């Protein structure tokens, strides 16, 4: 059985890489050949094309920002860290072969798979500067006319879809042989788009129960530490992380982020993906506002708190909130810096037996969905 996976496998983002790793690993464990289709369009990270006839548009501003961020990372970023991401993709994701930049290049390659899978991550979140990319809905020609095309746990990244994208999304999703999504909010969106009930399945990271063979030690000075994995903003999470580090009388570390435009939280470290996992695993406590920071904290049975993104970014909280609810840890979410609630979370241990039992149930849901799809593709 040959399986082709389409996701954000190319991003220098820890969560994106581990969800990709876990999905491919699941298929390999079933005895399949599983490869990532090496589609890396410019619009995802480099911004795509600038429209000179509307130079000062919001869309162009986003494109220019992405291009400048990428150049900044290339010129001034940590070269060793960048190389380590490349090495992880080669050694643990099995990335090889040509890179495709456009739908036309992809179709001309004449790819042959028994099963195509799109997911997970926010691949179904239309971007302001590009819109909808049909490739992430598997809407492209392949060498085989019998290829089964399914989605596994893609995310829209938010609770609601801009009306201007609804017609296009409905048409693309309607072509898939089977559809699943990651969040309950995605279930509601699909119902609104194509009037169809689809299952909610867990993020691919949940499919694996053991990540110990992927970890690699990160050299730190001796002593306790708190690990803060924050994305998009320092608001609230910075203060919470500092308070947690103070509680444990511990050092505070946070990983380098090329998109950071705020004061660093504690001391910046430069881990490769394997070392990032190690740093989470060995921390006294994890503070995060990231979905995958939440998911991996749960899988590693690491005491943690999720700090809500604020104001205009608050819609991104839906993903973490959905997962916390499913595993019975909704109380680990802090909408604001509430000292009394934080103190309670720090003092009251998590009942990991109960949490792990719920995680096992979620894992079964995901595995059963994919197993069924493999049987249909035979």
């Amino acid at each position: 059985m040959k399986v082709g996976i389409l996701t954000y496998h190319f991003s220098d983002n820890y969560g994106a890489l581990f969800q990709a790793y876990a999905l491919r690993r699941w298929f390999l464990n079933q005895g399949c050949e599983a490869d990532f289709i090496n589609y890396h369009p410019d619009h995802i990270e480099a911004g795509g094309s600038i429209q000179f006839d509307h130079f000062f548009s919001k869309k162009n501003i986003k494109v220019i920002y992405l291009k400048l961020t990428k150049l900044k990372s290339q010129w001034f970023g940590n070269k060793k860290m960048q190389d380590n991401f490349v090495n992880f993709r080669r050694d643990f994701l099995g990335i090889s072969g040509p890179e495709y930049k456009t739908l036309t290049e992809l179709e001309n390659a004449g790819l042959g798979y028994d099963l195509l899978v799109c997911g997970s991550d926010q691949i179904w979140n239309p971007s302001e500067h590009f819109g909808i990319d049909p490739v992430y809905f598997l809407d492209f020609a392949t060498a085989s006319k019998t290829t089964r095309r399914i989605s596994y746990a893609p995310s829209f990244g938010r609770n609601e879809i801009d009306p201007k994208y609804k017609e296009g999304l409905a048409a693309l999703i309607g072509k898939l042989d089977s559809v699943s999504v990651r969040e309950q909010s995605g279930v509601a969106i699909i119902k609104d788009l194509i009037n169809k009930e689809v299952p909610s399945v867990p993020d691919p990271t949940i499919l694996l129960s053991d990540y110990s063979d992927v970890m690699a030690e990160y050299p730190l000075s001796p002593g306790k530490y708190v690990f803060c994995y924050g994305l998009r903003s320092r608001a609230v999470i910075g203060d919470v992380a500092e308070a947690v580090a103070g509680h444990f009388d511990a050092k505070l570390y946070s990983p380098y982020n090329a998109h950071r435009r705020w004061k660093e939280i504690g001391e910046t470290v430069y881990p490769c993906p394997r070392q990032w996992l190690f740093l989470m695993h060995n921390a006294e406590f994890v503070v995060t506002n990231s979905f995958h920071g939440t998911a991996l904290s749960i899988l590693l049975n690491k005491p943690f708190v999720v700090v809500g993104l604020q104001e205009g970014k608050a819609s991104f909280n839906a993903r973490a909130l959905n997962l916390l609810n499913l595993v019975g840890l909704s109380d680990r979410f802090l909408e604001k810096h509430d000292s009394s609630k934080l103190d309670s979370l720090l003092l009251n241990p998590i009942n990991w037996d109960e949490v792990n039992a719920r995680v096992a149930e979620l894992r079964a849901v995901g595995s059963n969905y994919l197993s069924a799809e493999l049987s249909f593709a035979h």
Side-chain angles (χ1 to χ4, degrees):
M1 175 69 70
K2 292 189 67 175
V3 179
I5 304 170
L6 260 162
T7 189
Y8 293 159
H9 67 277
F10 45 77
S11 177
D12 286 358
N13 176 286
Y14 302 105
L17 291 184
F18 275 109
Q19 63 84 22
Y21 166 80
L23 185 57
R24 177 173 179 260
R25 174 51 52 189
W26 186 92
F27 281 112
L28 292 176
N29 289 345
Q30 314 313 307
C32 301
E33 281 185 45
D35 304 308
F36 292 100
I37 297 173
N38 201 8
Y39 177 63
H40 188 180
D42 286 337
H43 70 82
I44 299 295
E45 291 176 324
S49 302
I50 295 173
Q51 297 180 347
F52 289 96
D53 53 339
H54 298 90
F55 190 78
F56 294 104
S57 66
K58 182 179 179 182
K59 182 182 296 186
N60 270 354
I61 292 171
K62 180 67 172 179
V63 170
I64 292 168
Y65 166 73
L66 289 172
K67 289 185 181 298
L68 290 175
T69 299
K70 185 172 184 179
L71 288 172
K72 176 187 174 185
S73 180
Q74 289 174 343
W75 293 343
F76 305 109
N78 185 288
K79 185 64 167 58
K80 183 178 179 181
M81 187 177 177
Q82 293 169 1
D83 290 343
N84 284 333
F85 273 98
V86 172
N87 294 339
F88 183 87
R89 282 189 282 270
R90 181 195 65 218
D91 298 338
F92 290 89
L93 301 187
I95 303 298
S96 62
E99 184 177 87
Y100 309 112
K101 289 291 186 182
T102 66
L103 184 151
T104 301
E105 290 179 1
L106 197 58
E107 292 190 323
N108 289 341
L111 302 175
Y113 290 99
D114 301 300
L115 179 68
L116 283 176
V117 185
C118 57
S120 175
D121 224 337
Q122 297 181 54
I123 60 168
W124 283 4
N125 187 358
S127 67
E128 182 65 34
H129 59 283
F130 184 84
I132 301 169
D133 187 341
V135 172
Y136 287 107
F137 296 81
L138 308 178
D139 191 29
F140 55 88
T142 61
S144 173
K145 301 294 184 183
T146 60
T147 301
R148 186 168 179 82
R149 300 165 192 251
I150 72 167
S151 68
Y152 182 81
S155 175
F156 291 98
R158 58 195 66 227
N159 288 331
E160 297 179 347
I161 292 295
D162 190 319
K164 68 183 177 184
Y165 296 121
K166 286 188 173 182
E167 184 177 349
L169 286 171
L172 289 166
I173 292 169
K175 293 180 182 180
L176 292 167
D177 294 308
S178 181
V179 179
S180 68
V181 290
R182 194 171 70 186
E183 286 91 27
Q184 284 298 324
S185 56
V187 172
I189 288 171
I190 297 292
K191 177 69 173 177
D192 178 57
L193 291 174
I194 61 174
N195 194 30
K196 184 177 179 180
E197 296 285 349
V198 301
S200 169
V201 294
D203 184 80
T205 54
I206 305 294
L207 294 172
L208 301 186
S209 59
D210 185 6
Y211 284 86
S212 58
D213 61 335
V214 199
M215 292 185 199
E217 186 172 355
Y218 186 89
L220 292 173
S221 56
K224 297 183 296 183
Y225 67 90
V226 169
F227 191 62
C228 178
Y229 183 51
L231 301 176
R232 294 190 172 88
S233 172
R234 192 191 198 280
V236 182
I237 189 173
D239 294 336
V240 170
E242 289 165 358
V244 173
H247 170 85
F248 287 101
D249 191 22
K251 297 175 183 177
L252 176 60
Y253 297 119
S254 60
Y256 173 76
N257 180 351
H259 294 272
R260 179 168 69 84
R261 304 187 303 279
W262 55 88
K263 177 185 174 185
E264 67 178 345
I265 302 173
E267 180 183 336
T268 299
V269 289
Y270 299 85
C272 71
R274 302 177 69 195
Q275 292 169 326
W276 176 81
L277 207 59
F278 173 89
L279 287 168
M280 291 189 69
H281 181 259
N282 289 280
E284 295 294 317
F285 201 91
V286 174
V287 181
T288 189
N289 59 12
S290 150
F291 171 83
H292 283 110
T294 305
L296 269 302
S297 294
I298 293 168
L299 291 170
L300 296 172
N301 284 189
K302 183 56 52 179
F304 72 99
V305 64
V306 181
V307 180
L309 288 157
Q310 306 296 301
E311 299 175 351
K313 299 178 177 67
S315 62
F316 291 105
N317 294 330
R319 297 167 295 150
L321 284 166
N322 179 73
L323 177 58
L324 291 172
N325 181 59
L326 289 172
V327 298
L329 291 176
S330 297
D331 63 329
R332 309 303 295 187
F333 183 82
L334 279 182
E335 190 171 358
K336 58 184 180 180
H337 187 185
D338 183 331
S339 297
S340 60
K341 182 175 181 181
L342 179 59
D343 288 343
S344 176
L345 293 175
L346 290 167
L347 295 172
N348 295 317
I350 295 171
N351 186 330
W352 287 115
D353 288 338
E354 289 185 4
V355 172
N356 291 337
R358 294 194 183 201
V359 169
E361 292 174 359
L362 290 176
R363 185 173 296 125
V365 169
S367 294
N368 290 341
Y369 176 84
L370 290 173
S371 295
E373 293 305 322
L374 280 179
S375 67
F376 293 144
H378 272 291

